[in-house]
Amino acid sequence: MTTNIIIGGVGGQGILTIAGIIDMAAMQQGLFLKQSEVHGMSQRGGAVESHLRISDKEIYSALIPTGKADLILSIEPMESLRYLPFLAPNGIIVTATEPYINIPNYPEPEIILNEIRKHRHLLVDAEALARQAGNAKAFNLVMLGAASPYLGIASSVLEDAITERFISKGTDTVQMNLEAFRLGATHAKR
């Protein structure tokens, strides 16, 4: 089993937090992993991507070849289009529907969503689910939950990793992030 994941978004959306949680969960499950990151700009709004490869066998490269991504997890819809050449024929795009408009000529969101709909996809109203969990900043945990059925890692192991990641911020923060994760996972099952 090998799962190739590209996580994309813009700076400040928690892409590297998602990758770190998946990394921790994969190691807890005894899997091998390789991860690479690209930070487009250090300031908020620049493109950020992470290639994450998880397997039950040793992995020799952190970079996902073109056409081999099983999952594109995007925290912003237009960013998901940036990685389409990597999507495997049976791969899926899991993306938030809310645009992060950081350029003056950002396309109409419906045009972007229609392009995504040409592929296997899951669209997530992540902001509404994050607010339901208690904090709009939990947007990225909603998206992790929505992507969880496609990671090859048990939800309970992912929840343990979320707890470990946020325990230093207090139990209320842990519970809020777990709720966001669960709401995203429930959305994926509908």
Side-chain angles (χ1 to χ4, degrees), residues 144-164:
L144 175 59
S148 63
Y150 312 104
L151 298 175
I153 299 173
S155 287
S156 61
V157 178
L158 287 162
E159 289 193 10
D160 289 346
I162 292 167
T163 299
E164 189 173 334

Side-chain angles (χ1 to χ4, degrees), residues 16-37:
L16 302 182
T17 298
I18 293 172
I21 291 168
I22 295 171
D23 289 352
M24 198 179 306
M27 288 187 287
Q28 288 174 357
Q29 201 159 298
L31 298 171
F32 295 93
L33 69 97
K34 293 276 187 195
Q35 180 188 345
S36 70
E37 301 167 358

Side-chain angles (χ1 to χ4, degrees), residues 76-78 80-81 84 93 95-96 111-123:
E76 197 283 331
M78 193 164 77
S80 66
L81 299 183
L84 277 181
I93 300 169
T95 186
I111 292 172
I112 295 169
L113 295 177
N114 283 338
E115 187 62 33
I116 292 168
R117 288 181 181 112
K118 294 177 183 175
H119 307 275
R120 187 172 164 228
H121 66 276
L122 174 66
L123 303 178

Side-chain angles (χ1 to χ4, degrees), residues 10-85:
V10 298
Q13 290 190 306
I15 286 89
L16 302 182
T17 298
I18 293 172
I21 291 168
I22 295 171
D23 289 352
M24 198 179 306
M27 288 187 287
Q28 288 174 357
Q29 201 159 298
L31 298 171
F32 295 93
L33 69 97
K34 293 276 187 195
Q35 180 188 345
S36 70
E37 301 167 358
V38 175
H39 308 239
M41 294 170 58
S42 60
Q43 61 198 45
R44 182 173 171 78
V48 176
E49 72 174 88
S50 178
H51 282 218
L52 186 55
R53 307 185 78 196
I54 302 168
S55 180
D56 55 359
K57 301 176 200 130
E58 191 167 354
I59 304 166
Y60 298 101
S61 173
L63 297 179
I64 298 170
T66 302
K68 298 292 184 183
D70 301 296
L71 167 65
I72 295 174
L73 171 56
S74 180
I75 315 305
E76 197 283 331
M78 193 164 77
E79 287 298 318
S80 66
L81 299 183
R82 181 189 306 270
Y83 306 106
L84 277 181

